[in-house]
Amino acid sequence: MTSLKQLFGGGARQFGMVFALIALVIIFQIATGGKVLTPTNAQNIINGNSYVLILAIGMVLVIIAGHIDLSVGSVAAVVGIIVALAIRDWGIPWWAGILLGLAVGAVIGAWQGFWVAYVGIPGFITTLAGMMFFRGANQYIGKSNTVPVPEEIQTLGAGYLPEWGPNTGLNNWTLLLGILAVAGVVYGELRKRRSARRLGGTPVPLWVSITRMVALGAVIAYATVLFGSGRVGTSFPVSGVILGVLVLLYGFVSSRTITGRHVYAVGGNKVAAALSGVNIRRTNFFVMMNMSVLAALAGIVFIGRSTASGPFDGTNWELDAIAAVFIGGAAVSGGVGTVVGSLIGGLVMAVLNNGLQLMGVGSDSTQMIKGLVLLAAVAFDVYNKVQGRPSIVGLLMKGARRGRPEGPGPDDSNAGTGAVPVSQNETLARS
């Protein structure tokens, strides 16, 4: 089990979701006769769910900070109609329309952040009001009409990376991205080992690093071939590139910056964070404003995919984003969660939805199954916290541990004590 923990880096809950994602892909690949892992279907999964995944990146920070945002769908809808009208009727170029949309999202986020952070109204109430207000604003501004968007905006939501250079049998941009991703994995692993030595620690065994590099490299290579070998004119989606940039950016912000640590501290223990000097109001204002900016971006990507903005855009998007975050490992009580975990949770929902559609399952049954998956994920998290159970890796290896002497192991420090395990950030905040 120690070897498995070293291999997975201790992120057992997230890797549990990775296993679930892989299992879903394999099950649906078999059940649909090989329709899931085709270039066209893989591209559709990314293009069709990129807006929800963008929302999930912002929503995880909101939930880590101990809030929730129910207005993201309505904010995306009102920004979408403003961008569409600005480009069609006001005569501004498409790129200025995008900047205008992001600015509107920032203003809306500042408005909601003000009520949450400086007035003290709970985020649930503030964004519930926002959900109703901005839904009405979308229909008032657009007069409940559908407004088309230009080709440049459509490229953001439904376009593909262009072709260039020699004929390699794959789309060259997709191939280049794949090579850079593999190089990034190798560099990151070597950098992690070098940092461990520099800080006086002991890096993980070399075979663990090699196994991780080979496994991740194989997955990236397969994805590169899958996305780059589709029909002529298709490749890796542009919305997927936007999503990848956001994951790298927000993964860095949440884990390597003071702002990110403040978000975890506020969600883990607000009193301790305040006593430690964390500006709670500014942190809450940031997460709410950031959420609305990403909602604006999601709205722009969506109207690009649907080629127009309409009065029913964004309906129930907040529910999909919240579900993705909780399935990805965020704690209901706040203070716990990661950007990558939310992305994985969103992909689990996307593959589940796509696979059931390919199997001809109706939307009613699909909704019931997705609801049960969400309930199971959250129940698993709550059960483990209350019971102080070992990690999912520990559960998988439970049978293998039966042969060893009695007594708590390295993963069972909380077992039998009744103590509720806390995250590293909670520990830092309470110290």
Side-chain angles (χ1 to χ4, degrees):
M1 188 173 66
T2 302
S3 300
L4 281 177
K5 286 185 68 67
Q6 289 177 327
L7 183 61
F8 296 143
R13 177 83 191 274
Q14 290 181 23
F15 277 100
M17 287 299 106
V18 171
F19 293 146
L21 178 61
I22 294 173
L24 281 176
V25 171
I26 294 174
I27 291 172
F28 284 128
Q29 177 73 359
I30 297 173
T32 60
K35 294 181 181 178
V36 173
L37 291 178
T38 63
T40 300
N41 191 60
Q43 292 159 357
N44 285 337
I45 289 176
I46 298 298
N47 268 335
N49 295 277
S50 56
Y51 62 92
V52 173
L53 298 175
I54 291 172
L55 291 176
I57 292 173
M59 189 66 76
V60 69
L61 296 181
V62 174
I63 290 177
I64 289 172
H67 302 288
I68 200 163
D69 193 334
L70 300 178
S71 68
V72 292
S74 298
V75 172
V78 73
V79 168
I81 195 67
I82 289 175
V83 171
L85 285 173
I87 296 175
R88 190 193 68 172
D89 298 344
W90 304 348
I92 67 173
W94 64 271
W95 56 267
I98 294 174
L99 295 178
L100 174 64
L102 295 177
V104 170
V107 171
I108 293 174
W111 165 260
Q112 300 197 127
F114 167 76
W115 292 105
V116 172
Y118 293 98
V119 180
I121 297 178
F124 176 84
I125 301 299
T126 301
T127 57
L128 180 62
M131 179 177 70
M132 294 185 283
F133 179 85
F134 296 116
R135 172 60 56 191
N138 164 269
Q139 297 171 358
Y140 177 79
I141 295 172
K143 296 180 172 50
S144 297
N145 293 323
T146 299
V147 181
V149 295
E151 185 177 349
E152 292 83 357
I153 299 293
Q154 295 178 26
T155 301
L156 288 179
Y160 299 96
L161 295 177
E163 184 57 277
W164 60 277
N167 183 11
T168 59
L170 299 174
N171 175 268
N172 286 333
W173 270 120
T174 305
L175 180 61
L176 179 60
L177 284 179
I179 293 173
L180 291 175
V182 172
V185 168
V186 174
Y187 172 77
E189 192 64 34
L190 296 178
R191 184 173 181 273
K192 194 182 302 180
R193 295 180 62 84
R194 191 166 55 247
S195 298
R197 292 195 187 94
R198 188 176 66 250
L199 296 174
T202 303
V204 297
L206 183 60
W207 72 267
V208 171
S209 296
I210 294 175
T211 303
R212 275 205 291 245
M213 287 189 287
V214 171
L216 291 175
V219 171
I220 293 171
Y222 180 80
T224 301
V225 174
L226 183 65
F227 284 103
S229 60
R231 68 181 189 277
V232 177
T234 65
S235 60
F236 191 69
V238 173
S239 59
V241 176
I242 296 173
L243 187 61
V245 172
L246 290 176
V247 169
L248 292 176
L249 175 63
Y250 281 90
F252 175 80
V253 169
S254 63
S255 62
R256 302 297 179 89
T257 66
I258 295 175
T259 300
R261 286 193 285 272
H262 284 182
V263 173
Y264 279 98
V266 170
N269 190 320
K270 187 181 296 184
V271 176
L275 293 174
S276 301
V278 175
N279 191 325
I280 295 178
R281 288 180 173 177
R282 188 167 60 192
T283 303
N284 287 333
F285 185 85
F286 163 74
V287 296
M288 299 305 295
M289 185 174 180
N290 175 72
M291 180 71 259
S292 293
V293 172
L294 288 180
L297 178 59
I300 295 171
V301 169
F302 180 79
I303 62 174
R305 172 162 174 78
S306 59
T307 71
S309 175
F312 301 108
D313 293 351
T315 304
N316 291 334
W317 286 10
E318 57 278 352
L319 304 183
D320 290 334
I322 293 169
V325 171
F326 285 131
I327 291 175
V332 180
S333 55
V336 177
T338 62
V339 172
V340 175
S342 300
L343 183 70
I344 295 171
L347 287 175
V348 168
M349 296 288 284
V351 171
L352 187 64
N353 207 36
N354 177 261
L356 292 173
Q357 286 180 352
L358 291 176
M359 291 176 64
V361 178
S363 59
D364 48 357
S365 299
T366 300
Q367 290 298 322
M368 288 190 290
I369 293 172
K370 289 166 65 176
L372 290 176
V373 170
L374 172 61
L375 182 62
V378 176
F380 183 75
D381 173 68
V382 172
Y383 177 78
N384 277 342
K385 280 191 171 182
V386 172
Q387 301 296 324
R389 297 288 184 184
S391 67
I392 190 170
V393 175
L395 290 174
L396 291 173
M397 299 300 294
K398 185 177 180 180
R401 292 191 303 150
R402 288 175 179 167
R404 75 182 190 189
E406 293 294 332
D411 299 318
D412 302 333
S413 56
N414 293 322
T417 65
V420 178
V422 296
S423 67
Q424 182 180 4
N425 295 291
E426 287 176 306
T427 304
L428 290 174
R430 294 174 184 179
S431 63

